[in-house]
Amino acid sequence: MAALPSKSAINFKIVFLGLVIFIAILLFVDLKPGAPEITQTAAIAVLIALWWVTEALPIGVTSLLPILLFPALGILDGKAISNSYINYIIFLYIGGFIMALALEKWNLHKRIALKILSLAGSRPIMILFGFMFAAAFLSMWMSNTATAMMMLPIAFSVITALTEVVGEKHIKKFRTGLLLSIAYACSIGGIATLVGTPPNLSFVRIFEIIFPSGPEISFGQWAIFAMPLTITMFLLTLLFLFLKYRPSSEISALRKDFFIKRYQELGPISTNEKRVLALFVLLIILWFFRKDLDFGYFIIPGWSNLFAHPEYINDGTIAIFVAILLFIIPTRERKTGLVTWEIIQKIPWQIVLLFGGGFALAKGFIDSGLSAYIGNQLTEAGSLSKTGLVATVTAIMTGLTEFTSNTATTEMMLPIISGMATEIQVNPLLLMVPVTLAASMAFMFPVATPPNAIVFSTGQLSMMEMMKTGIVLNLIAIVLITVLTLIWGTFILPIDLLQYPDWAIEGALNAPH
């Protein structure tokens, strides 16, 4: 579950530049004569995108602009746009983050990481595997940033132990690979679940806004679809990093019980940890098996069918249910619940507002007709093959996310991509899904993701090392996402390569042109 670092500084020059561009578009640009709302929405989108990308203002503040500008320019009613900020995806994120904070509070995340490492062993490739597996698994459920921060001290204890025995010269290459493995595994693990990274949640809600009659993508369905990409990308990254950064001489400095001893230092698992772990497992099970899982040859019925109205229950309902249990179930001392209300202060509310701002912007794109307008300008893309089309949008998104906020870029791109899909009569999921996945595949630059920035800030690796390693992984990710979407996606998700779905036709008919 990725989170963005919060910045409070204001870049007045960029703020002023954004306002000048915004006013200039309103005064001197007319994208479609007779439809001023299209130009006005484009002006709002450019202003928000510029301030989001540069973080000229705190991200949460910029995310509130739709509430002001859409009603002021007469594009959308203030009540309608405000409703975009509160929905089940917001509560899915809040509930999931409360669970992540509970894991951190009771140090359960560190216990899980050290347990994985103790099982992996102490050979160089197994050390890499252990760190990557722990980081990827934890990032499926909690902040990628917090995971990277937690894994670093463990990594440095390993590096220190190895350096003392074999020397700095022999450990330098392996140290670089180990640090990069943590950053990359956080991003790779995040794509596996809906709560693993904000772009996934943005996709689910924006798809629902644009295509209200479209099929629901449940937690279990997404995980079954994305897990093969996570596993394949994980293994290829592990192999590539090991071959590129394996130590110059065989490292056998670590005792086999190195991680076992670190794990034993935590002491026996406490009653409170057991209770949080039980709720964590319950949350995962409820998310996975809420809806029927249709594998074609057989169906695993969802537990929500036990209720009179299973369609009323969504993944946000489950997240809040387990979050409430965390507040209710007492600690061993029976003085408070496993979490207390003070934990709410640690939720990154700027991300919640960023979600809302993105959903509001998506609604503006659709209701103003801007999405259809941009899609119409991109109709030449229809001449590409399905493979070429998916690969192109994936590559564009992968490049963009190296320099911009993954979530903000996703929320800007998805309405545009959906408009293009509608104009060229391609199943919107065929393009929206790979764009969403590509948003998390940023490996080249420190600014691309918080985990990249965290490992780079240690001063133990160079920008050139990260770039040379990251560009290879970016290319691998583009190929894998394209292949996965065209083959596995058409089996697990409602993507028919030969037929334009009725729900997309209905969405296009309801949208202004």
Side-chain angles (χ1 to χ4, degrees):
M1 182 184 293
L4 299 177
S6 179
K7 293 184 180 180
S8 56
I10 298 175
N11 189 327
F12 290 101
K13 290 181 180 179
I14 300 296
V15 170
F16 179 72
L17 176 64
L19 291 173
V20 169
I21 295 174
F22 172 70
I23 294 170
I25 293 174
L26 291 179
L27 294 178
F28 303 113
V29 176
D30 187 6
L31 294 176
K32 187 174 182 180
E37 65 277 6
I38 291 179
T39 302
Q40 292 165 348
T41 302
I44 294 172
V46 169
L47 176 63
I48 291 175
L50 178 63
W51 286 359
W52 262 346
V53 168
T54 61
E55 295 188 53
L57 288 174
I59 283 178
V61 175
T62 301
S63 301
L64 293 172
L65 284 178
I67 295 178
L68 168 65
L69 296 178
F70 280 118
L73 294 176
I75 303 170
L76 284 169
D77 175 75
K79 292 181 180 178
I81 207 69
S82 297
N83 288 339
S84 300
Y85 286 77
I86 294 293
N87 52 70
Y88 79 95
I89 290 296
I90 297 296
F91 290 108
L92 172 56
Y93 180 77
I94 291 174
F97 213 92
I98 290 173
M99 172 54 76
L101 290 172
L103 292 175
E104 289 185 48
K105 176 180 179 179
W106 298 107
N107 222 22
L108 196 55
H109 62 323
K110 188 173 184 180
R111 184 177 292 278
I112 292 171
L114 284 173
K115 187 64 177 178
I116 291 169
L117 287 165
S118 66
L119 293 172
S122 57
R123 289 188 296 124
I125 191 168
M126 295 311 295
I127 291 173
L128 276 181
F129 172 82
F131 273 95
M132 286 188 65
F133 188 85
F137 175 76
L138 290 170
S139 290
M140 293 180 189
W141 318 103
M142 58 185 288
S143 160
N144 294 357
T145 308
T147 300
M149 290 293 290
M150 187 270 296
M151 295 298 294
L152 269 186
I154 304 173
F156 277 115
S157 69
V158 171
I159 291 167
T160 300
L162 292 173
T163 304
E164 288 174 354
V165 178
V166 301
E168 170 73 18
K169 179 182 177 182
H170 295 294
I171 197 63
K172 189 174 181 181
K173 275 179 63 178
F174 187 68
R175 177 180 64 198
T176 300
L178 184 59
L179 292 174
L180 288 175
S181 75
I182 293 171
Y184 295 161
C186 287
S187 296
I188 293 169
I191 62 175
T193 66
L194 283 182
V195 296
T197 186
N200 294 355
L201 291 174
S202 295
F203 156 71
V204 172
R205 180 57 183 164
I206 289 173
F207 177 73
E208 185 178 67
I209 291 171
I210 299 172
F211 303 105
S213 301
E216 180 195 1
I217 307 297
S218 69
F219 185 97
Q221 194 175 19
W222 177 272
I224 292 169
F225 161 70
M227 197 62 74
L229 174 62
T230 296
I231 294 171
T232 308
M233 192 70 201
F234 176 93
L235 293 174
L236 290 176
T237 302
L238 170 65
L239 181 62
F240 177 67
L241 288 177
F242 178 70
L243 293 176
K244 185 174 176 61
Y245 294 107
R246 60 183 165 187
S248 52
S249 62
E250 182 64 27
I251 292 177
S252 56
L254 283 183
R255 291 168 54 92
K256 290 184 178 180
D257 61 352
F258 181 87
F259 294 115
I260 296 174
K261 285 189 173 181
R262 295 295 183 279
Y263 180 81
Q264 290 173 345
E265 288 171 4
L266 296 176
I269 186 168
S270 67
T271 301
N272 295 335
E273 286 179 278
K274 290 178 181 177
R275 291 175 182 178
V276 172
L277 181 60
L279 290 176
F280 178 47
V281 173
L282 174 66
L283 178 63
I284 295 172
I285 291 172
L286 291 178
W287 268 339
F288 261 94
F289 299 104
R290 173 177 64 86
K291 285 185 66 180
D292 293 351
L293 296 177
D294 190 346
F295 293 94
Y297 300 104
F298 64 95
I299 296 175
I300 299 176
W303 59 261
S304 62
N305 294 327
L306 298 173
F307 291 81
H309 295 282
E311 69 277 8
Y312 288 1
I313 299 171
N314 56 50
D315 292 327
T317 311
I318 299 165
I320 294 301
F321 166 65
V322 177
I324 291 172
L325 290 181
L326 284 167
F327 284 98
I328 292 175
I329 295 176
T331 61
R332 183 176 179 274
E333 297 76 18
R334 296 189 175 276
K335 292 182 179 179
T336 65
L338 292 168
V339 297
T340 59
W341 186 249
E342 286 72 25
I343 207 167
I344 295 295
Q345 299 172 15
K346 296 183 179 181
I347 291 176
W349 293 104
Q350 78 274 10
I351 302 295
V352 175
L353 291 175
L354 175 59
F355 278 139
F359 300 154
L361 202 56
K363 184 171 179 58
F365 265 70
I366 299 303
D367 288 9
S368 69
L370 179 61
S371 180
Y373 173 82
I374 295 174
N376 189 50
Q377 307 308 306
L378 299 173
T379 49
E380 289 186 7
S383 61
L384 294 172
S385 66
K386 296 290 193 303
T387 303
L389 197 58
V390 174
T392 299
V393 297
T394 303
I396 290 171
M397 191 63 175
T398 302
L400 284 174
T401 54
E402 289 291 348
F403 306 98
T404 61
S405 159
N406 298 353
T407 311
T409 307
T410 303
E411 299 196 338
M412 291 295 300
M413 286 291 291
L414 285 178
I416 295 172
I417 292 297
S418 71
M420 182 177 79
T422 299
E423 289 298 324
I424 63 177
Q425 301 283 286
V426 169
N427 189 310
L429 287 172
L430 183 65
L431 302 184
M432 295 176 76
V433 168
V435 162
T436 302
L437 293 171
S440 298
M441 298 290 99
F443 304 116
M444 283 179 61
F445 296 109
V447 297
T449 67
N452 286 12
I454 288 167
V455 300
F456 184 76
S457 68
T458 63
Q460 301 294 314
L461 64 154
S462 68
M463 174 83 77
M464 186 57 65
E465 283 287 359
M466 183 174 279
M467 285 178 60
K468 288 193 297 185
T469 306
I471 192 169
V472 174
L473 295 178
N474 279 4
L475 293 173
I476 292 173
I478 291 169
V479 173
L480 287 180
I481 290 172
T482 302
V483 172
L484 177 87
T485 303
L486 290 169
I487 299 176
W488 185 239
T490 55
F491 179 66
I492 297 299
L493 300 177
I495 300 176
D496 188 334
L497 296 178
L498 303 178
Q499 185 175 3
Y500 188 59
D502 291 339
W503 49 262
I505 296 172
E506 186 177 333
L509 291 174
N510 292 335
H513 291 270

